[in-house]
Amino acid sequence: LISKDFKVRQDAIDIVKRAMDRAAFMGAKVVNLWPGQDGYDYPLCQDYSRMYDTFMESVCIAADHNSDIFLAVESKMRDPRMRSLFATVADVLLLSMESGRANIGVSIDVGHVFCAGGNAAQAIQACADRGKLFHIHTNDNYSYWDDDMIAGSVRFAEYIEMCYTLRKVGYDGWCTVDIFPLREDSRGCVEESVSYMTIFDNIVEKI
């Protein structure tokens, strides 16, 4: 979406629009947008203002295609670019606030927050307070990389706080399981992620 080549940028915008059309057809409300290619690799190679302004223009064009479909932009420190334009939740939150579009908001990938040294509960609260919490990806890691492990398998206490905060802000959207089982049964890992989330929510209920 930040390409200097107009045709490449237009093709990217069209992909987002088509995703929005399919979402509307299926009765879905949110399209998750992960701008993994929108970043850079080396110093002295980018005009940072141009990158930001171009992304803003592109995502606003897509958002205006259908104001009833929410575009949830996801942050990540890096991958595949060495540095992402939107490395943290705060970066995306600023974008969504400055866009002037009610349907541009934040998708919080919990593992990406951990990799950035952040706190998922705090990120959720910040986005919810501004009406920009659109989507949640659940997974876990040790902070060194986006391991996409079973949700809650590493950060037990932080997940309890996260579930508490989701209740506190009245979040009623989806919490999707975004994991990458390498040596485990995929279906079993998804089921265990859902079980963990249920356990955490039950603990919050008791507290």
Side-chain angles (χ1 to χ4, degrees):
L1 293 172
I2 65 170
S3 176
K4 295 178 181 178
D5 185 322
F6 175 79
K7 185 182 184 306
V8 172
R9 187 164 67 251
Q10 188 60 55
D11 287 346
I13 294 171
D14 289 342
I15 288 172
V16 179
K17 288 181 178 180
R18 289 199 300 273
M20 296 172 74
D21 291 341
R22 284 165 172 74
F25 176 76
M26 294 186 293
K29 296 181 180 180
V30 178
V31 168
N32 193 86
L33 181 59
W34 175 51
Q37 295 290 354
D38 296 310
Y40 58 98
D41 299 321
Y42 293 95
L44 302 174
C45 288
Q46 286 288 353
D47 179 331
Y48 304 116
S49 292
R50 184 205 68 80
M51 282 198 304
Y52 184 85
D53 292 344
T54 304
F55 188 92
M56 176 70 82
E57 178 184 3
S58 299
V59 77
C60 284
I61 290 171
D64 292 342
H65 177 64
N66 186 343
S67 59
D68 292 330
I69 300 296
F70 287 18
L71 286 179
V73 183
E74 181 179 344
S75 65
K76 190 173 184 178
M77 294 291 287
R78 60 185 181 89
D79 180 42
R81 290 293 193 175
M82 295 299 105
R83 290 187 180 274
S84 298
L85 179 59
F86 300 100
T88 67
V89 169
D91 294 331
V92 179
L93 185 55
L94 176 65
L95 172 86
S96 66
M97 299 296 292
E98 290 188 338
S99 72
R101 305 302 196 276
N103 63 328
I104 295 177
V106 183
S107 175
I108 294 181
D109 185 301
V110 178
H112 296 178
V113 173
F114 293 153
C115 283
N119 180 311
Q122 182 181 2
I124 287 168
Q125 186 74 63
C127 294
D129 285 348
R130 292 156 182 83
K132 293 295 185 178
L133 180 61
F134 287 1
H135 193 60
I136 304 286
H137 285 184
T138 61
N139 52 66
D140 217 331
N141 61 56
Y142 291 105
S143 294
Y144 308 115
W145 182 235
D146 183 31
D147 302 312
D148 282 333
M149 298 167 68
I150 294 168
S153 58
V154 177
R155 297 167 178 272
F156 197 89
E158 287 170 278
Y159 255 90
I160 293 173
E161 183 186 34
M162 187 187 85
C163 288
Y164 164 75
T165 306
L166 288 172
R167 275 180 175 247
K168 178 184 174 186
V169 302
Y171 179 71
D172 63 352
W174 289 95
C175 287
T176 56
V177 177
D178 180 0
I179 59 176
F180 202 99
L182 294 171
R183 287 163 291 276
E184 303 83 15
D185 174 70
S186 298
R187 183 185 179 93
C189 288
V190 172
E191 290 175 344
E192 190 165 338
S193 293
V194 174
S195 294
Y196 265 125
M197 291 294 290
T198 303
I199 290 169
F200 298 142
D201 194 55
N202 288 338
I203 290 173
V204 172
E205 180 69 27
K206 291 179 179 180
I207 293 173

